[in-house]
């Protein structure tokens, strides 16, 4: 199950943090590291801090965008030091461990970490279905990014050992499994262009409307089949428009 869990570090500035994150992962049985546009990598400092987890670094996948790192994942959780004032499902580190372990029995999942200074941007958090917060003292809520990887890797490891982790054994057709991040992004793009073509936005703020739709669909955990139905519906509006014009 742990093989199905990706740890994604976005735009990490200090290579030492990448090495320390790799080590934290390996200690807890995680191996799949994704690096989105790291500032200084590969680096001697990263390798030094990884110590005996050099294999995790060697196998790390380096990509340009978060969307690439999330391709094929059906559940994405994004970590944040501040609980943001947005209507998004939020879990703490312990709940996150259980959630990811349970979900990873059936499909790939990802846990995303932000930049050292500024964390994850809103448009990155919007690609996540859950926000994850590690509870801390109110006086200082921001952990070093590799320390945050350590805490969450530990929670994942403990959840994977727990008897409470009861992954569903129900066998489903692939099309009835939760849609992947790329399928959802494709659907959101389709919604946006269709709504735009229909002049739906008018006085509305398109970004806000799209954020609300993401929130709605994120909560409902759509399957691939359901995404296909909605996209079929969106495509049908195009046919109708053409028909009514002709
Ligand atoms: N000022 C930034 C802090 C970034 S800390 C912010 O408010 O988001 C760098 C990264 O470490 C964060 O993006 C997150 O991935 C992780 N992190 C730090 N503290 C955390 C906490 N309390 N809970 C969850 N993740 C945390």
């Amino acid at each position: 199950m742990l093989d199905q869990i990706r740890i994604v570090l976005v735009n990490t500035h200090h290579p030492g943090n990448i090495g320390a994150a790799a080590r934290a992962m390996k200690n807890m049985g995680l191996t799949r590291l994704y690096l989105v546009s790291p500032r200084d990598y590969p680096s001697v400092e990263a390798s030094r801090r990884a110590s005996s987890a050099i294999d995790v670094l060697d196998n790390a996948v380096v990509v340009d965008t978060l969307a690439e790192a999330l391709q094929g994942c059906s559940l994405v959780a994004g970590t944040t030091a501040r609980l943001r004032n947005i209507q998004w499902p939020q879990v703490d580190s312990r709940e996150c461990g259980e959630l990811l372990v349970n979900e990873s029995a059936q499909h790939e999942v990802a846990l995303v970490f932000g930049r050292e200074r500024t964390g994850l941007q809103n448009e990155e958090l919007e690609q996540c279905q859950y926000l994850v917060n590690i509870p801390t003292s109110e006086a200082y809520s921001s952990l070093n990014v590799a320390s945050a990887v350590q805490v969450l890797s530990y929670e994942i490891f403990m959840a994977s050992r727990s008897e409470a982790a009861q992954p569903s054994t129900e066998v489903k057709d692939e099309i009835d499994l939760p849609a992947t991040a790329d399928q959802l992004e494709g659907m959101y793009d389709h919604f946006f262009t269709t709504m735009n073509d229909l002049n739906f936005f008018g006085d509305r703020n398109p970004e806000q409307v799209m954020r609300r739709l993401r929130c709605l669909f994120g909560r409902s955990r759509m399957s691939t089949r359901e995404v296909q139905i909605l996209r079929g519906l969106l495509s049908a509006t195009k046919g109708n428009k053409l028909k009514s014009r002709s």
Side-chain angles (χ1 to χ4, degrees), residues 2 25 66 72 80 91 101 137 175 179 212:
L2 297 185
M25 287 169 62
L66 179 57
T80 168
V91 290
V101 167
S137 152
I175 197 166
R212 298 221 156 104

Side-chain angles (χ1 to χ4, degrees), residues 78-82 84 112-120 132-136 141-146 148-149 152:
T79 55
T80 168
R82 287 168 293 142
R84 322 234 171 172
V112 186
F113 293 84
R115 301 158 185 80
E116 287 90 340
R117 270 168 183 271
T118 52
L120 290 169
V132 183
N133 179 252
I134 300 167
T136 59
S141 68
S142 174
L143 278 76
N144 162 270
V145 64
V149 172
L152 281 158

Side-chain angles (χ1 to χ4, degrees), residues 10-66:
V10 176
N11 203 203
T12 312
H13 277 228
H14 300 292
N17 282 334
I18 297 176
R23 179 176 186 168
M25 287 169 62
K26 186 162 177 182
N27 286 144
M28 300 297 151
L30 295 166
T31 52
R32 304 199 47 209
L33 177 61
Y34 282 67
L35 303 172
V36 178
S37 184
R39 197 186 55 123
D40 179 10
Y41 186 83
S43 121
V44 175
E45 178 64 4
S47 306
R48 198 179 66 73
R49 293 284 300 275
S51 198
S52 293
I54 197 76
D55 52 327
V56 175
L57 274 193
D58 287 344
N59 291 325
V61 180
V62 182
V63 290
D64 290 332
T65 63
L66 179 57

